[in-house]
Amino acid sequence: MAFEYISEQINQRKRQSLFRKRFAIQSSSDRFIEVGNQQYLNFASNDYLSINSCLSQTYSQTKLGSTSSALVTGFHQEHVNLESYLSELMGYEACLLFSSGFSANASVLKTLMSHADSEIFQDKLNHASLIDGGLASNAKMSRFRHNDLAHLTQKLKKSTSRDKLIVTEGIFSMDGDSAPLAELKKLADKYQAWLMVDDAHGFGVLGDNGLGSCEQIKPELLIVTFGKAVASSGACILCTNEVKDYLLQFNREYIFSTAMPPLMAKMTQDAIIQLVNATEQRKALKRNILEFKRQFNEKCSQLNMQLLDSSSPIQPIIVKDSQLAVDISNKLKHDKIWLTAIRPPTVPKNTARLRITITAAHKENDITHLINSLAGAFENNI
């Protein structure tokens, strides 16, 4: 059976008395910590100069720094609260916090796909963190053409690996389009594979309640990033209790990194609560995306601009030539508009682009100003 090694190695760790556990710090001072309603003199903190205690007075009872890795004394009640909230919100058994989306993606793949008899199937447009994690693992890595289910099916059929993992983004960060997640989940089930989705750009934006690309399906592994719509920092993986325990034992980035600041965990939970209830903002965002596309089609369709087919906030305009992308980006700065020119190797060769992101806060006049500036810049560069 696929992924049997997870339970096997967890049980082995327990037999060897090597099983790692976290202990939630209920409160802490410069000298003491409280765990399980008991106070302890703390000799395990990395806050060598007690700076955290001084700074934290400004933030009431919430600590600015965790002062240690999560498996030492860095796992605080604020982390417990956020993990529990996200697990319940997203319908998963477990949640594990990371300090960045890159760390979550790369380290989960590197750790989970650690056996030679495993294979990762990655969309060719996946984020660098996912590609790096796959390359750093012991698994074979196969890349299928972007959103090409037939190509993926061919690769799954040929695979003889025991443990197979399909990896995709919910919304692709450079093209702005969505993965066919329902079809990918069906393929995963058919070929006894797991599905992992990085929903950095979908969480908060998509779904009736902002739960993202996976509101209607449930991949085995779901990465949610807090640095996009949540406007915070860090990330988490949603998974089973068993997978979480496995990562706690073997994920070196998690084990040896200072934990997310408790203050960040608390602020992130507050932000997500607001995000779930941000129905009007999601409606405004959708209106602005449609308005941008309408004005673009009306005023720019005859110019040498290719707007990719995206219904997400990411609206890329392909200009192919890298220097032209930079020149237009710089010209727009003179009109007080800031947008980024994205060039290879971040994107494939000959697909340099202007990456426009629309928000709920934009006004119709803002979009009109952008369109007029784009049209003027392109007219002068044809």
Side-chain angles (χ1 to χ4, degrees):
M1 185 181 296
F3 293 94
E4 282 185 339
Y5 70 88
I6 293 178
S7 57
E8 290 171 358
Q9 293 200 17
I10 287 174
N11 290 332
Q12 183 181 39
R13 278 289 169 114
K14 290 179 178 178
R15 290 193 299 269
Q16 295 173 336
S17 300
L18 297 175
F19 187 76
R20 292 184 172 101
K21 293 174 61 177
R22 301 176 299 177
F23 297 92
I25 311 302
Q26 293 170 293
S27 64
S28 64
S29 64
D30 54 345
R31 293 170 52 233
F32 296 96
I33 57 174
E34 183 178 355
V35 181
N37 299 320
Q38 298 292 318
Q39 181 175 271
Y40 300 87
L41 190 61
N42 185 8
F43 284 101
S45 172
N46 294 338
D47 185 16
Y48 301 124
L49 302 178
S50 297
I51 297 297
N52 189 53
S53 295
C54 298
L55 291 173
S56 294
Q57 294 174 10
T58 309
Y59 300 96
S60 184
Q61 299 302 310
T62 305
K63 297 295 180 184
L64 175 61
S66 61
T67 77
S68 184
S69 67
L71 288 162
V72 184
T73 59
F75 185 53
H76 293 249
Q77 189 62 45
E78 290 82 2
H79 301 125
V80 177
N81 295 343
L82 179 55
E83 289 186 351
S84 298
Y85 172 72
L86 282 166
S87 296
E88 183 176 353
L89 177 69
M90 302 301 291
Y92 281 81
E93 286 184 359
C95 174
L96 193 64
L97 299 174
F98 289 83
S99 293
S100 75
F102 198 108
S103 175
N105 280 338
S107 68
V108 165
L109 282 176
K110 184 170 66 174
T111 305
L112 194 63
M113 307 305 286
S114 57
H115 285 238
D117 192 15
S118 58
E119 188 167 357
I120 302 170
F121 302 85
Q122 297 234 31
D123 189 292
K124 281 203 170 184
L125 294 188
N126 274 353
H127 191 266
S129 57
L130 296 169
I131 301 302
D132 284 4
L135 292 172
S137 74
N138 291 325
K140 177 182 177 182
M141 190 164 77
S142 299
R143 299 177 72 178
F144 58 94
R145 290 187 292 270
H146 178 51
N147 282 346
D148 192 329
L149 296 172
H151 193 213
L152 172 59
T153 300
Q154 290 176 5
K155 291 182 173 293
L156 288 167
K157 283 182 177 178
K158 292 179 181 178
S159 176
T160 59
S161 300
R162 182 187 61 184
D163 305 312
K164 295 182 281 290
L165 180 66
I166 301 169
V167 183
T168 186
E169 297 185 53
I171 292 177
F172 289 87
S173 59
M174 290 299 142
D175 280 36
D177 58 344
S178 300
L181 294 179
E183 292 83 357
L184 287 172
K185 187 66 174 74
K186 288 177 182 176
L187 277 179
D189 293 342
K190 181 177 179 179
Y191 291 97
Q192 296 183 308
W194 282 8
L195 176 62
M196 174 175 168
V197 178
D198 170 16
D199 205 27
H201 297 277
F203 184 73
V205 173
L206 300 180
D208 295 337
N209 299 303
L211 301 188
S213 304
C214 299
E215 196 167 77
Q216 301 301 321
I217 70 159
K218 190 175 180 182
E220 283 78 8
L221 306 172
L222 175 59
I223 304 292
V224 170
T225 301
F226 308 141
K228 307 301 188 291
V230 181
S232 178
S233 180
C236 74
I237 180 173
L238 293 146
C239 54
T240 64
N241 284 320
E242 191 172 59
V243 169
K244 184 193 76 172
D245 283 343
Y246 184 83
L247 293 173
L248 284 173
Q249 311 313 305
F250 300 106
N251 189 312
R252 291 170 64 82
E253 281 86 345
Y254 185 88
I255 294 166
F256 296 109
S257 293
T258 298
M260 174 189 289
L263 177 63
M264 185 63 68
K266 184 178 188 303
M267 294 175 69
T268 297
Q269 183 172 347
D270 291 343
I272 295 173
I273 291 171
Q274 291 186 45
L275 197 72
V276 170
N277 294 312
T279 304
E280 293 306 312
Q281 291 95 317
R282 278 186 285 277
K283 289 179 180 178
L285 174 59
K286 187 174 181 179
R287 286 195 301 270
N288 284 343
I289 293 169
L290 292 173
E291 178 63 20
F292 168 80
K293 294 171 81 72
R294 184 192 69 79
Q295 290 198 32
F296 181 92
N297 291 331
E298 181 180 292
K299 298 180 182 179
C300 302
S301 59
Q302 302 304 314
L303 300 175
N304 190 27
M305 286 190 275
Q306 178 193 353
L307 180 64
L308 292 184
D309 185 14
S310 165
S311 59
S312 78
I314 301 166
Q315 296 289 319
I317 297 174
I318 305 297
V319 299
K320 297 184 180 180
D321 181 78
S322 294
Q323 188 58 54
L324 178 59
V326 172
D327 289 345
I328 292 173
S329 177
N330 288 335
K331 286 192 175 184
L332 263 60
K333 288 182 174 66
H334 291 294
D335 292 336
K336 305 302 181 184
I337 294 173
W338 191 284
L339 56 82
T340 308
I342 306 293
R343 295 158 287 167
T346 303
V347 293
K349 188 178 179 180
N350 296 323
T351 67
R353 66 197 62 191
L354 301 168
R355 185 177 183 270
I356 297 167
T357 53
I358 307 297
T359 75
H362 285 130
K363 306 298 183 184
E364 185 174 336
N365 287 342
D366 300 333
I367 295 170
T368 300
H369 180 46
L370 169 62
I371 294 295
N372 289 337
S373 297
L374 280 169
F378 269 85
E379 285 172 346
N380 293 327
N381 279 277
I382 292 176

